[in-house]
Amino acid sequence: MAEVFDMLMDVNARKLEWNFQVYVVHLWEVPNRFNEKEINGIEIVLQDGGRIQASIPKPLLKKWRGKIVEFKMYIMTHFIVVDKKEKTKTTNNRWSLSFSHRTTVQPVSKPSYPLEAFSFKPIPELLDADKLEDSVLIDVIGEVVGKEDPRELITSKGRETKRLAVILEDLENNSIGCVLFGDMVDQILPYLEEGRVEPLIVIAQFFKPSRWNGKTSVQSHFDVSKLRINPDLDEVKDFRNRRLSEKPSNSTRISQVTSHGPRSGADEIKNGDVVVKTIEEALSSSQPSNSTRISQVTSHGPRSGADEIKNGDVVVKTIEEALSSSQEGPIWIAGTIVSINAGKDDWFYKSCRKCPKKVETPIGNRYECGKCGHTHASASLRFKVEVLVYDGTGSIMLLMWDRETAQLCGRQAEQIKDEESSDGEGYPPTLDSMMDRRLLFKINVKASNMKQYDHVYTVMKICDDEDIVEMNHPKPVQNNASANLIETGCSDSIGISAVVVNMHNDTESMVSLDGVEDSVTSLKSKTPAKRAPMGLKQSVHVNIDTEDEFGFSTNKFSRKTGKRQRIQINESDN
Ligand SMILES: [Zn+2]
């Protein structure tokens, strides 16, 4: 009996139970941006009639690394759908998928439809485009007919890398520059020997179109791009046969390109000493200090809700609305925790014993608090947990600090620090008591959230009183009727959260793949893209009786999918 599968182009953020029959057309590992040896996650691109990118977050690496193979077909179920809003995407799909602990993957031995691993962009289409579309990475196939000498580059962090431009030619002798960086240069160099008589055919997969001084090229884009050199694939055999019938193997096939002629399209990095600021730096220079910072930790009892809760003037928004919010400041949302993004050591931080300030390494044998000056022989542990919250309109990543997490799981961080997860790799099982809880969250929308450098929204308060949560479904934005919140069961930790938020910003922010822009391209794209308007505002009831949709137990999700680079080009020749 034929099973019915969901189609990748039908994906939306309104459900979690997906069932796909798909090929994996690309798979790559994303290194930690601070430590290249460490893998932060695996990204894959799936194909049925359409395409979508899916992420395997760090906590799930052990489970899946090596088990999913390119060009094979799988039945895959259960994903969290996220809107990463990345500036540079691998597919046209607005959405991407995240593996959770519920995700299943079954190999299919007899594929029911053919693999279409590549979506080749004809070279003339790139050359002739009035405005080069560069937000979606593309595939190009061609014979290497020219090369430049590789050049050494030094990144501003002192790391050496290489750059090499080759010329690709299609079957109609159209050519385009193809710029390779780093390991890809070493990968292709052995094939570029003088006097080569066999055609060298490459597939540049997921490369970024680029135009600079009127010259069009494709460039490798960090870890996403893949260079397939003379691969044993039908696409390449077909290309080679047709190519050889036009241009037989009797002459030298690769010429040295010394001057930057019109065909090179590759001398984009001409003037040395280009320093590309990280987006973080750009933000910190232009962004006013956090206006919502409250440095005073006000005293408050566990039941002292904020004023707006007392007054009942609260509008609860959908997650879809929250994600498209164009205004800084706090808003309320309602949603269910469907995933906890934490491993063994990243659900807490070390703090002062007197105040919530983070403390660093001890001086001598004591920790000294940079805020209140308190010293103590040991640091205190406080919660700092990322959770994924879903409401039927979308999913949002939230950062919960000590007070809210303790409120939800009923324990203090110190009390559960020695708990072992079943596999010894995960967070303390007590945190799972937060799963599947439907709650009201007051979140702080920051400029970095709106500009999409930071996908994690900070929780300022939560409300876990079931009656109040039940009374406060999201209202359409144009409806001014106030929600009827009362103060029972709601916490107010704005002071604590705000203080620690700043500490947090110092160490981690902006982590999307989009924070990563290749040398020259980033000069052109420092300005964040404007957010596309979202769909219709609407209020949605979430039916928490559908246990299947919310029956997660230990889902995890990671936002750490990218690394940043700052490249300083040291180049004096032309
Ligand atoms: Zn302190």
Side-chain angles (χ1 to χ4, degrees), residues 119-310:
S119 132
F120 291 121
K121 192 82 167 174
I123 292 174
E125 253 182 55
L126 292 166
L127 299 176
D128 299 342
D130 287 338
K131 188 181 176 301
L132 196 67
E133 163 62 43
D134 64 357
S135 63
V136 179
L137 303 178
I138 56 160
D139 304 335
V140 173
I141 186 171
E143 179 182 351
V144 178
V145 296
K147 57 162 178 160
E148 292 183 341
D149 283 327
R151 307 180 195 187
E152 304 284 330
L153 306 177
I154 310 287
T155 69
S156 61
K157 285 181 180 159
R159 200 168 63 84
E160 288 182 14
T161 187
K162 289 177 196 159
R163 171 191 185 275
L164 170 69
V166 297
I167 313 296
L168 301 186
E169 199 168 88
D170 69 9
L171 293 170
E172 286 78 43
N173 300 325
N174 302 297
S175 62
I176 192 167
C178 176
V179 183
L180 310 173
F181 290 102
D183 293 345
M184 261 182 212
V185 175
D186 296 328
Q187 199 191 332
I188 200 169
L189 273 178
Y191 295 89
L192 298 177
E193 73 271 23
E194 298 293 324
R196 182 185 178 93
V197 292
E198 281 303 306
L200 176 63
I201 294 158
V202 299
I203 293 175
Q205 192 182 12
F206 293 107
F207 272 53
K208 183 161 180 159
S210 167
R211 187 172 286 164
W212 186 260
N213 285 342
K215 285 173 193 160
T216 307
S217 65
V218 293
Q219 306 202 344
S220 79
H221 190 70
F222 298 92
D223 308 296
V224 185
S225 302
K226 182 155 197 162
L227 185 67
R228 298 180 189 267
I229 302 170
N230 266 342
D232 186 21
L233 295 170
D234 289 345
E235 289 87 347
V236 171
K237 285 175 201 156
D238 180 55
F239 186 97
R240 179 184 290 113
N241 292 338
R242 293 171 62 192
R243 181 73 171 163
L244 283 173
S245 68
E246 301 281 329
K247 194 179 175 185
S249 268
N250 54 9
S251 57
T252 300
R253 300 199 73 96
I254 303 174
S255 59
Q256 180 76 24
V257 182
T258 44
S259 67
H260 299 246
R263 289 166 99 209
S264 88
D267 64 338
E268 310 191 346
I269 310 169
K270 261 192 158 175
N271 305 316
D273 291 344
V274 178
V275 176
V276 181
K277 278 192 172 185
T278 64
I279 295 174
E280 192 172 36
E281 286 169 328
L283 265 183
S284 64
S285 62
S286 62
Q287 201 182 354
S289 63
N290 188 342
S291 58
T292 59
R293 182 192 320 181
I294 298 172
S295 55
Q296 183 75 35
V297 179
T298 52
S299 68
H300 44 251
R303 296 184 139 219
S304 70
D307 285 345
E308 76 259 27
I309 294 181
K310 288 177 188 156

Side-chain angles (χ1 to χ4, degrees), residues 34-100:
F34 301 112
N35 175 9
E36 295 225 332
K37 301 267 187 298
E38 196 181 311
I39 302 301
N40 247 357
I42 294 175
E43 298 288 319
I44 56 181
V45 176
L46 305 177
Q47 172 236 320
D48 54 14
R51 286 179 168 206
I52 202 166
Q53 186 171 327
S55 307
I56 302 172
K58 196 173 179 183
L60 295 174
L61 281 182
K62 231 183 178 172
K63 182 170 178 185
W64 296 114
R65 202 172 178 195
K67 309 254 169 61
I68 298 172
V69 180
E70 274 179 338
F71 300 168
K72 298 284 186 209
M73 182 184 262
Y74 299 92
I75 290 172
M76 299 187 172
T77 73
H78 294 90
F79 289 95
I80 295 167
V81 177
V82 288
D83 187 0
K84 282 187 171 176
K85 293 180 175 149
E86 286 177 329
K87 242 174 11 214
T88 304
K89 295 163 67 77
T90 52
T91 77
N92 284 309
N93 207 317
R94 171 192 162 180
W95 304 104
S96 54
L97 305 176
S98 175
F99 277 58
S100 75

Side-chain angles (χ1 to χ4, degrees), residues 352-357 359 369-374:
C352 171
R353 290 206 164 264
K354 257 198 165 163
C355 77
K357 177 78 180 171
V359 291
C369 175
K371 183 167 172 58
C372 73
H374 183 71

